[in-house]
């Protein structure tokens, strides 16, 4: 059985399994033999001012990612000026709680100030000068946390939807080999750190194909690359479990480690329509686009739970290559999806509600882990 049919078989077995799982554990316990399980945190979440939230984080997760505090804009806002305070707190917090720490992110087109690409007079930098600026930034940030931050999203979102390289200032000024340099600089700064390429939408075929070609080019150039971060931002009906399986398999076939790095499931309508200036019409459109301001209806709650169960069934099936699954936030209230692509909506994309209580999706994920253990004992699956 190849991986894909093994995956399908596992899903069927999971569906028919009558075992009533007793998910009496936490996420980190349930997945301890399979992969790390984590969350992205913002500064207010590692401030340790809310003890209940702290218990939630430390009992459920064993890996943390810096959601924002290590991005170029906050950590290096002006030439020669680094603001390390928040990132230092993140690392100290993670160490106190014995977490595998992921730094996010070194080279990205977004959240990077425009001065980075300009000289003192505002003219575009040349290739050599920008490479030097990239080297200095990576050496400073990675070097500061050497041996303490265990993995880095070195390059984030370098691809267009069609799989071609994004026309970012990095690429325009340095050339296509900017990624190669970023990885080499990170490796120089911490030879023991894991180094990842991280992107969204890799489950779509064209982008996945482009990513595969890009990663193969990096491998051919002997770039120090540990693995790929499949961000995993999804909705109730995208991507299909099969597409997720194919994506993991594509990168595993290159000999790379695979991580799900920014998992969440948007439950709100995605398309905005043209709305006239008429107040009543705008109100109606607003209601359509923000349908659950006071709570998620049970039917949608159940759909979300099934969705998470089917995704985790795939991750478990590929546990030999999946090292980590990280949620992009802890509770629904933390999520960026309350403000994107439309500001001020009420979204429900994670496993814990706004009060920090586990949702049916949380139980479904634990049950998937428990059933998977049962299936494995009773029916050996030919997972390579
Ligand atoms: O969740 C992050 C949000 O708080 C920031 O405003 C935004 C811009 O920096 O970035 C969000 O995180 C993104 C991540 O860094 C890269 N992948 C997509 C994530 C969601 O936009």
């Amino acid at each position: 059985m190849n991986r894909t049919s093994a995956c399908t078989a596992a899903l069927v077995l999971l569906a028919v399994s009558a075992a009533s799982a007793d998910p009496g554990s936490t996420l980190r316990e349930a997945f301890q033999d399979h992969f790390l399980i984590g969350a992205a945190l913002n500064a207010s979440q590692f401030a340790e001012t809310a003890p209940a939230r702290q218990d939630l984080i430390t009992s459920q997760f064993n890996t943390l990612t810096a959601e924002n505090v290590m991005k170029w804009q906050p950590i290096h806002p002006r030439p020669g000026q680094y603001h390390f305070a928040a990132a230092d707190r993140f690392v100290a917090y993670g160490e106190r709680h014995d977490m595998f720490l992921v730094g996010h992110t070194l080279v990205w087109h977004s959240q990077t100030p425009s001065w980075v690409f300009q000289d003192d007079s505002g003219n575009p930098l040349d290739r050599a000068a920008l490479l030097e600026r990239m080297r200095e930034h990576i050496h400073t940030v990675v070097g500061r946390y050497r041996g303490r931050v265990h993995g880095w999203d070195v390059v984030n979102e370098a691809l267009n939807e069609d799989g071609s390289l994004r026309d970012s200032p990095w690429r325009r000024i340095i050339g296509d080999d900017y990624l190669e340099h970023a990885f080499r600089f990170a490796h120089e700064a911490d030879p023991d750190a894991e180094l990842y390429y991280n992107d969204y939408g890799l489950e779509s075929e064209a982008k996945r194909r482009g990513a595969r070609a890009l990663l193969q080019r990096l491998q051919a150039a002997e770039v120090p690359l540990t693995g790929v971060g499949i961000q995993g931002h999804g909705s109730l009906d995208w991507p299909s479990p099969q597409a997720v399986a194919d994506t993991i398999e594509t990168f595993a076939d290159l000999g790379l480690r695979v991580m799900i790095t920014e998992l969440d499931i948007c439950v709100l309508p995605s398309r905005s329509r043209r709305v006239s200036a008429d107040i009543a019409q705008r109100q109606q459109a607003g209601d359509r686009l923000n349908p659950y301001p006071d709570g998620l209806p049970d039917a949608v709650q159940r759909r979300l739970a099934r969705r998470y169960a089917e995704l985790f069934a795939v991750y478990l099936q590929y546990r030999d290559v999946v090292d980590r699954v990280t949620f992009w936030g802890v509770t629904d209230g933390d999520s960026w999806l309350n403000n994107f692509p439309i500001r001020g909506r009420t979204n429900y994309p994670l496993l814990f509600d706004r009060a920090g209580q586990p949702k049916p999706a949380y139980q479904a994920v634990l049950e998937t882990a428990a059933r998977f253990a049962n299936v494995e004992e009773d029916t050996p699956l030919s997972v390579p």
Side-chain angles (χ1 to χ4, degrees):
M1 203 166 4
N2 65 24
R3 284 164 184 260
T4 305
S5 50
C7 171
T8 314
L11 286 172
V12 171
L13 283 167
L14 284 166
V16 298
S17 168
S20 64
D22 170 24
S25 54
T26 64
L27 294 170
R28 59 182 287 170
E29 287 162 2
F31 293 99
Q32 65 188 352
D33 295 335
H34 307 311
F35 38 71
L36 296 172
I37 191 108
L41 298 189
N42 274 315
S44 61
Q45 294 164 283
F46 49 81
E48 309 220 43
T49 43
R53 285 297 156 82
Q54 296 315 312
D55 285 353
L56 182 61
I57 294 167
T58 55
S59 62
Q60 296 292 341
F61 304 112
N62 48 25
T63 171
L64 297 175
T65 301
E67 181 171 350
N68 285 304
V69 298
M70 288 176 158
K71 288 172 180 173
W72 194 308
Q73 172 69 54
I75 211 168
H76 189 182
R78 277 173 290 283
Q81 271 187 34
Y82 285 90
H83 290 183
F84 286 123
D88 285 357
R89 282 201 302 277
F90 169 76
V91 174
Y93 177 83
E95 287 183 329
R96 252 194 323 280
H97 299 292
D98 207 21
M99 300 278 177
F100 181 95
L101 293 179
V102 180
H104 172 91
T105 174
L106 298 169
V107 174
W108 191 21
H109 61 277
S110 184
Q111 293 292 292
T112 306
S114 47
W115 65 260
V116 173
F117 307 106
Q118 295 164 358
D119 65 17
D120 293 345
S121 337
N123 299 314
L125 283 188
D126 62 19
R127 170 182 157 94
L130 185 56
L131 272 174
E132 174 49 27
R133 196 161 271 177
M134 180 202 270
R135 192 195 68 79
E136 190 275 337
H137 176 85
I138 292 178
H139 274 220
T140 304
V141 176
V142 176
R144 183 176 183 90
Y145 303 112
R146 180 177 173 145
R148 302 174 70 200
V149 167
H150 308 97
W152 283 94
D153 289 335
V154 177
V155 179
N156 197 37
E157 302 172 3
L159 292 164
N160 294 312
E161 308 317 298
D162 68 359
S164 58
L165 271 185
R166 189 191 287 273
D167 191 29
S168 69
W170 293 111
R171 178 182 183 225
R172 275 200 301 278
I173 297 174
I174 296 175
D176 289 0
D177 63 344
Y178 81 89
L179 293 98
E180 190 176 324
H181 290 280
F183 279 93
R184 293 197 200 289
F185 294 148
H187 188 62
E188 285 164 11
D190 187 350
D192 295 325
E194 296 192 348
L195 305 179
Y196 319 121
Y197 175 71
N198 191 53
D199 212 332
Y200 64 89
L202 296 173
E203 300 87 343
S204 296
E205 221 173 306
K207 195 159 182 182
R208 187 193 317 156
R209 221 176 303 122
R212 184 174 189 279
L214 168 66
L215 297 167
Q216 272 184 312
R217 286 198 299 277
L218 294 177
Q219 288 180 312
E222 297 184 6
V223 166
L225 168 70
T226 315
V228 190
I230 298 170
Q231 291 186 2
H233 297 293
S235 67
L236 286 171
D237 41 36
W238 185 90
S240 69
Q242 188 62 58
V244 176
D246 292 347
T247 308
I248 296 174
E249 196 158 324
T250 297
F251 300 132
D253 284 348
L254 296 178
L256 292 168
R257 308 303 302 167
V258 178
M259 273 129 283
I260 311 299
T261 53
E262 303 186 14
L263 182 60
D264 49 26
I265 300 293
C266 176
V267 302
L268 301 182
S270 60
R271 226 165 301 136
S272 55
R273 297 156 205 236
R274 273 177 76 88
V275 180
S276 82
D278 177 83
I279 279 285
Q281 253 205 39
R282 277 180 33 198
Q283 178 67 42
Q284 259 186 12
D287 291 349
R288 266 202 312 275
L289 294 170
N290 188 25
Y292 319 123
D294 305 317
L296 195 60
D298 285 350
V300 190
Q301 195 79 267
R302 283 196 298 274
R303 255 184 94 188
L304 181 68
R306 272 202 306 279
R307 185 82 178 104
Y308 267 114
E310 71 185 12
L311 289 172
F312 272 83
V314 178
Y315 307 152
L316 283 165
Q317 190 62 32
Y318 288 90
R319 68 199 186 287
D320 57 336
V321 291
V322 172
D323 284 346
R324 168 167 63 90
V325 177
T326 295
F327 293 89
W328 207 240
V330 179
T331 72
D332 286 338
D334 304 328
S335 173
W336 70 295
L337 288 170
N338 294 302
N339 290 306
F340 187 90
I342 299 168
R343 287 199 72 79
R345 297 198 294 179
T346 308
N347 214 329
Y348 302 84
L350 295 166
L351 300 190
F352 299 94
D353 68 17
R354 286 173 164 71
Q357 293 303 309
K359 294 159 61 179
Y362 170 82
Q363 304 299 342
V365 166
L366 286 189
E367 281 168 20
T368 306
R371 287 200 192 129
F372 190 86
N374 293 344
V375 167
E376 210 181 18
E377 273 164 31
D378 301 338
T379 318
L381 292 166
S382 49
V383 180

